[in-house]
């Protein structure tokens, strides 16, 4: 397999590539720089926000919903900030990391403590009415989020857990409630740390491996189907794009 550089952006911590089929653009963020990038073949534009931006989701009305610092931020099509929704009771010294939109249109995003202290983070969701709900606490470094095609299973990674793994939670897309999780994939010494996730049209899960220089594909039952080496050590998140959704993009860090 030959990888190509899609955007030579010099990002410090790229995250969460999402394809916008309305504009034909790949949306992704540089968390550390607080930058939201919009890439299309032949060009890349970016909007920078104060602080950090862990993920950007697409809004039906155009623009994005951001997990920025300890705020959910709604932006318009021009990138301008329309509204900020602070995390209620957010502890000091934490910030949003990864986030994703669920099949019902809710935006999920998790936090991590800036010093990565164990249990310092949490997982939240932003409802359609802009209320915020705490879903999981005691998280160390909230990371990958991806739903199966039926929308009744959430795949989730806490990269800072003592034994990072992919867990699968039964999911009620009507209420946003999670059931009891089961372990889907475990990683051994030298494999790297599971980071961002995405699901393909065969309901298989793709996992970026931080410090593992690879992306892996797992079947719905957790069987390892493919291990794709990367020419960089710090892979952060995979995502499909292009008009046919047949291009695999992977964000990286330095």
């Amino acid at each position: 397999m030959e990888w190509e550089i899609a955007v030579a952006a010099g990002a410090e911590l790229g995250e969460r590539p999402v394809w916008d089929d309305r504009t034909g653009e790949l949306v992704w963020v540089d968390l550390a720089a607080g930058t939201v990038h919009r890439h299309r073949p032949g060009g890349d534009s970016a909007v920078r926000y104060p602080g950090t931006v862990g993920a950007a989701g697409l809004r039906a009305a155009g623009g994005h919903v951001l997990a920025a610092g300890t705020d959910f931020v709604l932006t318009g099509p021009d990138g301008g900030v329309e509204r900020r929704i602070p995390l209620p009771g957010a502890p000091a010294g934490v910030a949003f990391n990864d986030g994703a939109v669920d099949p019902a249109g809710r935006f999920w995003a998790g936090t991590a403590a800036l010093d990565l202290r164990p249990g310092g983070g949490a997982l939240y969701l932003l409802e359609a009415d802009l209320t915020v709900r705490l879903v999981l606490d005691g998280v160390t470094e909230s990371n990958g989020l991806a739903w199966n095609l039926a929308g009744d299973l959430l795949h989730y990674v806490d990269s800072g857990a003592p034994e990072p793994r992919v867990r699968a939670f039964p999911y009620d897309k009507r209420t946003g409630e999670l059931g009891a999780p089961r372990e889907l994939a475990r990683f051994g010494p030298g494999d790297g740390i599971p980071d961002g996730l995405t699901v393909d049209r065969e309901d298989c899960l793709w996992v970026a491996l931080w410090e593992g220089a690879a992306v892996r594909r797992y079947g719905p039952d957790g069987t390892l189907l493919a291990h794709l080496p990367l020419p960089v050590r710090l892979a952060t998140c995979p995502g499909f794009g292009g008009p046919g959704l047949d291009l695999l993009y992977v964000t990286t860090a330095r």
Side-chain angles (χ1 to χ4, degrees):
M1 167 164 285
E2 293 186 9
W3 295 93
E4 299 178 6
I5 296 175
V7 186
E12 182 174 344
L13 182 51
E15 280 283 7
R16 186 52 64 174
V18 177
W19 183 255
D20 189 340
D21 62 343
R22 301 165 300 181
T23 62
E25 296 173 320
L26 185 78
V27 178
W28 62 282
V29 305
D30 182 351
L31 184 151
T35 303
V36 178
H37 291 261
R38 297 165 59 179
H39 166 73
R40 63 175 63 201
D44 186 73
S45 61
V47 177
R48 188 164 188 171
Y49 298 90
T52 61
V53 176
L58 307 179
R59 296 180 65 194
H64 304 110
V65 52
L66 310 179
T70 54
D71 294 343
F72 289 105
V73 178
L74 304 181
T75 73
D78 62 353
V81 173
E82 294 183 351
R83 184 165 179 178
R84 289 184 175 270
I85 303 102
L87 277 182
V94 304
F96 274 124
N97 194 35
D98 201 1
V101 178
D102 78 3
R106 306 176 186 91
F107 185 58
W108 293 64
T111 59
L114 300 180
D115 59 2
L116 292 183
R117 64 183 179 273
L123 178 63
Y124 300 86
L125 70 81
L126 179 67
E127 298 276 11
D129 63 2
L130 304 185
T131 58
V132 179
R133 190 198 313 175
L134 171 65
V135 182
L136 293 174
D137 57 9
V139 173
T140 297
E141 187 178 7
S142 188
N143 235 318
L145 293 154
W147 286 262
N148 66 347
L149 297 181
D152 58 9
L153 199 68
L154 167 65
H155 307 90
Y156 178 64
V157 169
D158 176 358
S159 293
E163 295 183 0
R165 61 200 189 278
V166 179
R167 291 184 291 168
F169 291 80
Y171 182 66
D172 186 333
K173 58 186 174 184
R174 181 180 61 85
T175 64
E177 297 293 334
L178 300 181
R182 62 181 173 88
E183 184 177 284
L184 186 70
R186 183 179 288 269
F187 302 83
D191 287 344
I193 300 170
D195 199 322
L197 311 173
T198 195
V199 171
D200 66 22
R201 58 188 172 194
E202 295 179 356
D203 234 2
C204 293
L205 186 69
W206 295 73
V207 184
L209 296 178
W210 177 270
E211 295 185 338
V215 177
R216 286 184 174 178
R217 184 182 190 236
Y218 291 87
D221 63 352
T223 300
L224 177 60
L225 302 177
H227 178 94
L228 308 180
L230 280 160
V232 294
R233 186 171 60 94
L234 303 179
T236 57
C237 192
F240 289 96
L245 294 178
D246 55 357
L247 301 177
L248 179 64
Y249 290 92
V250 182
T251 49
T252 63
R254 60 181 171 89

